[in-house]
Amino acid sequence: MTQTVTYTRHGAFAEALIDNPPVNATSASVRAGLAAAIRTAEEDPAVQALIIRCAGKTFIAGADIKEFGKPIAPPQLPTVIRMMDEARKPIIAAMHGAVLGGGFEVALACHYRIATPSTKFGFPEVKLGLMPGAGGSQRTPRLAGLAMTIKLVTEGGQIDAKTAHAHGLIDEIAEGDLGAAALAFAERLVAAGKGARSARDLPMPADDPALFEAARKTLARKMRGQTAPLKALEAIRLGYEMSFDDAVVRELEMFREAMAGPQSKALRNLFAAEREVARIPGLPETLAPRPIKTVGVIGLGTMGRGIAMAAANAGLPVIAVGLDLNNLDQALRAIGKMWSGNVAKGSLTQATMDERLALITPSADPTDLAAADLVIEAVTEDMAIKTEVFARLGAVTRPGTILASNTSYLDIDALATASGRPEDVCGMHFFNPAHVMRLLENVRGARTAPDVVATIMAFGKRIGKLPILSGVCDGFIVNRMLAKRSREAFFLVEEGANPEAIDKVLVSFGFPMGPFALGDLAGLDVQAAARKARKASATARELRADFVEQMVAAGRLGQKSGAGWYRYGEDRKPAHDPETDRLIAAHAQKHGLLRREVRADEIRERLLYAMVNEGAKILGEGIAPRPHEIDVAMVNGIGFPAYTGGPMFWADQIGLGKVLASIERFRADYGDEYWAPAPLLVAHAGQGRGFYG
Ligand code: 3HC
C-alpha cells in the first residue's frame, strides 16, 4: 500500500498492518496507506472484513505531532475516517499499547474493536493545548456516555482495556496473539452475519446536561488557565446542537483554531523539549551506561527517604544507610507510613507495598555500600559534613561505583575531589517529595566521566523521572533561577507590595502558588538555612531583607508551625495574618524605608524577568546546554505554567527586545548589581532572535 502500511490477505479477510515507528502516528503515508487498504478491501469481492493492526510496541498513538503547524498532505485524517464510516464491509481495530488521540479516533471509527488486556486508551490532545480533531468528541459520547467522555476528552487521562470494555468503547479483550485473535474475531463476526456499523449512527446519550456545568467548574479549578479543556468540553456539547456530520466539521475547525493558538504552540514546544533533553549534546547515543543493579542511599532525612522509595518503586534493591540508629528506625517507619497511605487510597496493593519494603535494606554502616553500583548522598546540606561523607564513600565503595550528591546548591566539584574518584562523582538533585516529583536535575561536574552522565540520565528514566542535565554552579538551574525570584519578592515587600499581592500575581499568571505560600510550605527554617549558607555572596540589600530570619526568630516556620507569612488553621489554607503586616511595617520603620504602591505588572515583570535574565546567564555560561533544559526544569520543578512553554519560550514569545527594555529600566532604577542584563540576552535581542532561534 505505502511504505508504512502493508496489506495482506488471510483467506476471506484482509489486514492493514501499520509500521510507522516510533509510535505509529498517522503520518501522511499512514493515512494514504489506510485509505488505499479500505479502498482495496471494499473493491475485492473475496474480502469480507478488514482488520487494522500495528507493528511495534503500540497501536496508533496519535496524529503526527511533527506535521503540526505545517501544510498537511492529503488525505487528511477526517477524510480517511469518513471512508471508514462509509465502508460497507466491517472494519476491525486490533489494538495493543497506547491508543491515543487520532489513534483512538481511528479506532472509534472502526466498526468493531478488540484490544489486548494491557492496552491503554486516551485523548491526550488537551496536554498539547488541543482537542480531538477527527470525531473523538462525537463518537465517544455515543459509545460511552457523557461522563466518561468528559473525563477522557477534557482531562487527557487514560483508561485501561477493562474500563474501556465496561464502557462500550471496545467489544472484546483479546487474550494471546493479537493477530490470531483478530482473525478469529472476524470469522465469528461474519459467521454471525454481523456487518458494517458506525458510531456516527448512534444517538447522543440522554445523560444529564448538568454534567457540562459541573465539568466546567471542575476544569476551571483543576486545569486553571488552560484554554483547551474548556474548548474540548464545548466540542462535546456540539453533538446535542447539530447533526453528527456538522458537529465533526465544527470540531475540526475548533481543533485548527486551538493549534494556531499560543498555548498549543507552547505545549507542543515543551513536549518536544521534554524528549530533547534526553539527548545530551556531545555525548554519543551509543555510549553504554554503567549497569545499576543495587542503589545505595546515605542520609535518611526527608530527601533520602523519598529517594529510597523512588528506587524501590522501580523494583531496585536499596541499601539505605542512616548514620544514627534511632533515625534509621524512624526513617523506615516513615517510609512504611507513606506507602500505607497509598494502600489506603487504593493506588498500591498491600502485596506490592510489602515487596517494596523488602527491597530496602537498612544499615547504619557505610561499608555496606560496597555492594551498591550507585550511591546517592542525601545527608545534611552542609559542605563540611558532605565533604567527609564523600571522602568516606570514596574509600568504602568499589571503583566505578557512581557517587551522586543530592545537594541543591553545593559544589559538586569539591565533593568530587574529596572522594578521590572525581570521574565517578556527579549530582542528582531530586525535588521534594522525591518519590513523587518528576523532575530530576542531574549535574555533571568538571571531571564526571561521560558514561556516568549516560548512566544517571538512563537511571532517572528507569525510576520514572524526567532527568535534565545541568552543569555546576550555585543552585544549578532551578534553585539559581528561583533565588532571583525570591530576591525580587523580598525587595518588593520592602518597597511596599504585600506578600499576598505578590503571590496573587504569580497565581494568576498560572503558578500553583506564589513565593510566600511556597516558603511557608517548604519551611521558613529551611529557607533561612539556605540564606545563611549563601551569606558570603549576598549583597547588603539582600542581607537587610531578612524577613525569613525574623519569621524564624518569632517561631513562625510556615505551615508546620501554623504560621509564617500566612496563618494556617486545621484546613491548612493560608489566611491573612496581621502579625505579618506588623513585622513588615516594623522592618520598614527600622530601616527608614518609604513603602509605595507597587502595581501588579511591575510585580510580574520583576519576578519573572529576574528568572529569564538568570536563565540567559545559565545558558550563556553553558550550565544548561540548551533553553530546553531550563524550560523543562522550571515547568516540572517549580510549576512555571506549562502552557507558557517555560520561562525561556515565554520570553521568546514576548520578544527579547521587549524583555531587555524592561530589564534596562529596572537596571536604571535598582542598579547593575541586580539587573545587569545577561550578555546572551543582549546579543539575541540585538539580532532580533529568541533563545530557541
Ligand atoms: N507524533 C509524532 N511523534 C511522536 C508522537 C506523535 N503523536 N508521540 C510520540 N512521538 C515520538 C516522540 O517525539 C519520541 O521521539 P524521539 O525518540 O525522536 O524523541 C518517540 O515518539 C518516543 O516517544 P516517548 O519518548 O514519549 O516514548 P514513550 O514510550 O515514553 O511514550 C507515548 C509513548 C505514550 C505514545 C508518548 O510518546 C505520548 O504520549 N505521545 C503523545 C501522544 C499524543 O499526544 N497524541 C495525540 C496527538 S494530537 C492528535 O492526535 C490530534 C487528533 O485528534 C487529530
Side-chain angles (χ1 to χ4, degrees):
M1 293 280 118
T2 58
Q3 256 182 347
T4 52
V5 182
T6 316
Y7 182 88
T8 319
R9 276 279 305 278
H10 303 275
F13 305 107
E15 182 184 73
L17 185 72
I18 302 169
D19 189 1
N20 184 28
V23 298
N24 289 317
T26 58
S27 318
S29 78
V30 170
R31 298 192 302 271
L34 278 178
I38 296 164
R39 220 175 291 121
T40 310
E42 285 285 282
E43 284 167 6
D44 184 346
V47 170
Q48 296 189 339
L50 171 68
I51 295 162
I52 297 178
R53 194 164 64 89
C54 288
K57 62 177 187 177
T58 184
F59 191 72
I60 304 167
D64 188 343
I65 295 171
K66 295 187 179 78
E67 290 182 352
F68 287 1
K70 300 179 192 146
I72 305 270
Q76 301 216 354
L77 191 57
T79 310
V80 180
I81 283 184
R82 198 165 336 110
M83 288 176 71
M84 298 167 85
D85 270 334
E86 286 162 7
R88 287 163 291 115
K89 294 176 185 172
I91 305 179
I92 302 152
M95 300 170 282
H96 71 296
V99 181
L100 302 176
F104 201 3
E105 291 174 305
V106 167
L108 295 178
C110 286
H111 308 167
Y112 299 90
R113 288 164 290 281
I114 67 168
T116 60
S118 59
T119 311
K120 296 274 192 299
F121 302 83
F123 288 110
E125 281 90 338
V126 288
K127 294 188 176 161
L128 297 172
L130 298 169
M131 36 169 293
S137 71
Q138 299 306 307
R139 284 176 215 271
T140 317
R142 286 170 162 87
L143 288 162
L146 206 46
M148 176 50 83
T149 304
I150 288 174
K151 181 172 142 69
L152 280 169
V153 172
T154 66
E155 293 182 14
Q158 296 184 2
I159 55 169
D160 59 16
K162 213 166 143 194
T163 313
H165 187 246
H167 285 82
L169 289 163
I170 61 174
D171 301 287
E172 200 173 286
I173 296 181
E175 300 291 345
D177 178 73
L178 182 62
L183 277 176
F185 183 88
E187 272 164 16
R188 271 183 277 126
L189 201 68
V190 172
K194 291 191 182 155
R197 62 178 193 183
S198 168
R200 174 177 76 164
D201 303 325
L202 299 171
M204 276 298 271
D207 292 328
D208 185 356
L211 286 174
F212 282 108
E213 188 46 28
R216 204 187 51 73
K217 284 196 185 129
T218 312
L219 291 174
R221 181 173 43 80
K222 261 175 62 175
M223 304 180 90
R224 190 168 51 86
Q226 298 178 50
T227 49
L230 290 170
K231 286 279 167 205
L233 188 67
E234 224 179 275
I236 302 168
R237 200 195 276 269
L238 295 173
Y240 290 97
E241 293 164 359
M242 52 187 84
S243 70
F244 178 93
D245 289 348
D246 288 343
V248 291
V249 169
R250 179 66 196 125
E251 182 204 53
L252 180 59
E253 282 169 7
M254 289 172 76
F255 170 78
R256 289 187 177 139
E257 285 159 17
M259 172 94 75
Q263 292 201 354
S264 177
K265 205 172 152 199
L267 286 162
R268 284 185 276 129
N269 194 72
L270 195 63
F271 178 89
E274 286 190 356
R275 279 140 190 92
E276 192 56 35
V277 293
R279 288 182 272 269
I280 310 298
L283 201 72
E285 286 196 24
T286 48
L287 188 65
R290 297 183 187 177
I292 306 291
K293 296 201 184 87
T294 301
V295 178
V297 177
I298 182 161
L300 296 178
T302 311
M303 293 308 291
R305 294 168 198 174
I307 296 167
M309 289 172 77
N313 281 346
L316 282 155
V318 180
I319 303 162
V321 176
L323 299 175
D324 154 349
L325 270 178
N326 290 332
N327 189 16
L328 194 61
D329 217 40
Q330 195 188 342
L332 282 174
R333 273 202 309 274
I335 290 174
K337 202 169 152 203
M338 282 186 271
W339 271 328
S340 296
N342 295 344
V343 171
K345 273 190 246 147
S347 57
L348 189 72
T349 64
Q350 184 62 47
T352 312
M353 169 176 160
D354 294 343
E355 276 167 27
R356 289 181 189 176
L357 268 177
L359 284 170
I360 301 181
T361 310
S363 161
D365 181 1
T367 59
D368 286 341
L369 293 169
D373 307 298
L374 160 69
V375 178
I376 304 169
E377 166 279 312
V379 303
T380 312
E381 199 74 341
D382 177 306
M383 198 58 191
I385 299 175
K386 284 199 196 275
T387 305
E388 211 180 299
V389 168
F390 267 77
R392 189 85 202 275
L393 288 177
V396 300
T397 58
R398 286 175 278 117
T401 298
I402 297 174
L403 307 177
S405 175
N406 175 56
T407 180
S408 35
Y409 53 89
L410 297 174
D411 185 357
I412 299 290
D413 290 332
L415 298 177
T417 304
S419 76
R421 293 209 318 262
E423 64 285 354
D424 290 338
V425 175
C426 60
M428 289 181 87
H429 177 215
F430 289 77
F431 290 77
N432 190 16
H435 60 299
V436 177
M437 290 284 282
R438 224 175 132 224
L439 183 68
L440 171 62
E441 196 173 33
N442 281 333
V443 186
R444 168 164 48 188
R447 287 168 293 173
T448 308
D451 67 339
V452 168
V453 174
T455 309
I456 56 177
M457 295 304 286
F459 176 80
K461 198 160 181 201
R462 187 167 159 202
I463 61 169
K465 302 290 174 202
L466 176 54
I468 58 121
L469 189 65
S470 167
V472 175
C473 65
D474 183 3
F476 315 122
I477 296 173
V478 175
N479 282 325
R480 180 170 160 184
M481 287 175 72
L482 201 56
K484 302 302 168 199
R485 187 182 85 171
S486 302
R487 178 198 76 201
E488 285 306 304
F490 294 142
F491 286 2
L492 282 162
V493 171
E494 279 199 333
E495 287 167 43
N498 74 54
E500 277 160 86
I502 295 172
D503 277 354
K504 207 167 139 212
V505 166
L506 284 198
V507 169
S508 56
F509 182 76
F511 279 92
M513 62 180 82
F516 297 101
L518 183 66
D520 277 357
L521 180 69
L524 298 181
D525 50 340
V526 177
Q527 219 176 357
R531 273 176 61 87
K532 192 172 167 201
R534 290 197 169 106
K535 212 168 174 174
S537 60
T539 66
R541 187 165 177 204
E542 284 171 304
L543 292 173
R544 186 186 71 192
D546 62 350
F547 297 110
V548 171
E549 289 83 347
Q550 294 185 50
M551 291 272 181
V552 173
R556 301 170 72 86
L557 308 183
Q559 278 201 22
K560 60 184 161 194
S561 72
W565 292 96
Y566 297 90
R567 195 161 34 79
Y568 298 88
E570 282 291 289
D571 61 1
R572 296 195 150 202
K573 285 216 174 100
H576 177 85
D577 192 340
E579 204 43 54
T580 298
D581 300 338
R582 274 194 285 278
L583 187 145
I584 295 169
H587 178 86
Q589 201 180 20
K590 178 174 162 197
H591 297 289
L593 305 172
L594 268 186
R595 299 184 81 234
R596 64 183 168 98
E597 195 176 321
V598 188
R599 286 181 24 193
D601 52 355
E602 182 183 341
I603 294 176
R604 191 178 56 248
E605 287 196 350
R606 285 193 36 200
L607 296 179
L608 300 182
Y609 288 176
M611 286 202 280
V612 170
N613 198 30
E614 200 62 23
K617 289 181 188 167
I618 286 171
L619 208 49
E621 292 164 19
I623 298 293
R626 295 157 296 193
H628 307 66
E629 273 76 12
I630 300 179
D631 284 339
V632 169
M634 297 309 274
V635 167
N636 292 284
I638 66 152
F640 202 101
Y643 56 79
T644 65
M648 310 316 271
F649 185 84
W650 174 73
D652 276 2
Q653 305 315 299
I654 293 169
L656 296 190
K658 226 170 140 187
V659 174
L660 180 60
S662 291
I663 289 180
E664 287 292 5
R665 229 182 34 249
F666 297 144
R667 179 195 212 174
D669 290 346
Y670 306 107
D672 251 17
E673 203 167 18
Y674 307 113
W675 287 102
L680 189 76
L681 174 64
V682 176
H684 283 355
Q687 292 160 3
R689 55 161 284 177
F691 294 118
Y692 279 87

